[in-house]
């Protein structure tokens, strides 16, 4: 199914076509990274949208094309809940994907949502820095020192990962990971900041459903206001940015 492409925005007729296209991108990104560095570091998005993608990646059609032993799994964010909690992004990924593919347990870099948020954020940043061999200082764009692929979603208020409007993490200039008490969802959250996300080799926003149409138009075509629309703060410094969306989410976008 050939998507209608607007710049770096690919539009697909329905969720099934979108899921298939993103799964193909995942397979391709993994193959390229493993070919270059023998590893594939991916940050998974949370929420409900990626559930269909993870289920597809666990199916033989895609799973058999990924060298899972070389895959390092991270998360873009986590709710400060335990790993068995219904709201846990880790739990959703485990149930739909990680329990069904031969990824190494030591290569699953879970954010410890059950621990003190600030300590868990510091621990996750240490884990990331060790994985990317960058113990101090800013992230590097070298292969193997950054996410090969970062999957992101879009909230109806313009947040992505757990970068919520007007919170410090959106404006952070040095830390890779932050914990914030997000009043709008009445939860502490731990999130990657744009500092590390914008060093990714590829960032892929996966957005579907008519409830995202209005915010998607504002983010893609509205005034640049990153504090109000944190998803606009995602602009890879030397990587690819791709929005892969379904027709329902694209309903309010200007005609090509
Ligand atoms: C989270 C996600 C968040 C999500 C958006 C969209 O932890 O909730 O990381 O950024 O991607 O809120 O969520 P849905 O896919 O459920 O609409």
């Amino acid at each position: 199914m050939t998507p209608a492409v607007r710049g770096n925005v690919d539009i697909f007729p329905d969720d099934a076509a979108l899921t298939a296209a993103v799964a193909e991108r995942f397979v391709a990104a993994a193959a390229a990274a493993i070919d270059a560095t023998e590893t594939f570091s991916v940050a998974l998005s949370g929420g409900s949208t990626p559930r269909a993608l993870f289920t597809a990646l666990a199916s033989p059609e895609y799973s058999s094309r990924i060298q899972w032993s070389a895959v390092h799994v991270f998360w873009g964010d986590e709710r400060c809940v335990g790993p068995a909690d219904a709201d846990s992004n880790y739990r959703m990924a485990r149930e739909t994907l990680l329990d069904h593919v031969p990824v190494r347990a030591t290569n699953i870099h879970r954010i410890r949502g059950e621990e003190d948020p600030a300590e868990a954020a510091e621990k996750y940043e240490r884990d990331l820095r060790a994985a990317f061999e960058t113990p101090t200082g800013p992230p590097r764009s070298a292969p193997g020192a950054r996410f090969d692929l970062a999957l992101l979603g879009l909230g109806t208020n313009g947040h992505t990962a757990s970068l919520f409007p007007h919170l410090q993490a959106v404006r952070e200039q040095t830390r890779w990971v932050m914990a914030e008490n997000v009043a709008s969802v009445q939860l502490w959250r731990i999130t990657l900041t744009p500092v590390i996300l914008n060093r990714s080799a590829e960032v892929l926003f996966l957005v579907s459903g008519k409830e995202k149409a209005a915010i998607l138009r504002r983010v893609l075509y509205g005034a640049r206001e990153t504090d109000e629309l944190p998803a606009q703060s995602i602009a890879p410094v030397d990587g690819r940015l791709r929005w892969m969306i379904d027709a329902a989410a694209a309903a309010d976008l200007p005609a090509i």
Side-chain angles (χ1 to χ4, degrees):
M1 184 69 65
T2 305
V5 177
R6 290 183 174 87
N8 62 343
V9 176
D10 298 341
I11 301 172
F12 298 87
D14 54 38
D15 214 21
L18 172 62
T19 299
V22 178
E24 288 294 344
R25 274 302 316 141
F26 189 106
V27 169
I34 293 166
D35 185 47
T37 66
E38 298 181 356
T39 60
F40 174 57
S41 294
V42 58
L44 301 181
S45 52
S48 56
T49 300
R51 184 179 286 272
L53 169 65
F54 296 167
T55 301
L57 290 173
S59 71
E61 179 181 1
Y62 297 101
S63 177
S64 61
R65 297 161 57 198
I66 296 166
Q67 187 183 328
W68 293 102
S69 60
V71 176
H72 282 253
V73 178
F74 299 86
W75 277 262
D77 70 318
E78 185 57 279
R79 294 85 180 271
C80 289
V81 295
D85 192 291
D87 285 339
S88 165
N89 288 334
Y90 162 79
R91 174 177 166 180
M92 190 274 279
R94 182 181 59 73
E95 290 178 338
T96 55
L97 176 59
L98 302 179
D99 280 353
H100 309 284
V101 294
V103 64
R104 291 190 178 140
T106 51
N107 292 352
I108 298 175
H109 303 265
R110 183 174 71 85
I111 302 173
R112 310 183 76 76
E114 70 277 18
E115 296 180 1
D116 170 79
E119 290 175 12
E122 288 168 12
K123 193 175 289 185
Y124 188 50
E125 178 156 340
R126 286 198 299 272
D127 186 11
L128 264 173
R129 286 182 173 276
F132 292 166
E133 298 177 347
T134 309
T136 58
R140 300 176 296 126
S141 298
R146 60 182 182 165
F147 292 118
D148 299 298
L149 177 63
L151 295 173
L152 290 175
L154 178 66
T156 54
N157 64 351
H159 82 263
T160 190
S162 283
L163 299 167
F164 282 79
H166 308 297
L167 292 188
Q168 169 59 41
V170 183
R171 298 184 296 276
E172 177 61 27
Q173 297 296 311
T174 53
R175 284 173 288 183
W176 298 10
V177 184
M178 283 183 68
E180 295 233 45
N181 187 3
V182 185
S184 58
V185 294
Q186 296 177 322
L187 256 185
W188 276 87
R189 295 273 191 112
I190 294 166
T191 187
L192 296 179
T193 66
V195 173
I196 185 66
L197 282 168
N198 285 336
R199 282 286 176 171
S200 302
E202 178 173 359
V203 176
L204 192 165
F205 276 92
L206 168 55
V207 186
S208 68
K210 63 181 185 307
E211 71 280 3
K212 303 291 175 74
I215 191 63
L216 189 61
R217 181 187 177 100
R218 281 189 65 198
V219 167
L220 291 182
Y221 294 91
R224 181 168 171 74
E225 38 184 345
T226 53
D227 232 23
E228 181 70 24
L229 301 172
Q232 291 181 334
S233 68
I234 304 305
V237 290
D238 52 7
R240 289 175 300 282
L241 174 62
R242 194 186 300 269
W243 292 77
M244 296 182 81
I245 61 183
D246 68 0
D252 290 358
L253 298 188
I256 295 178

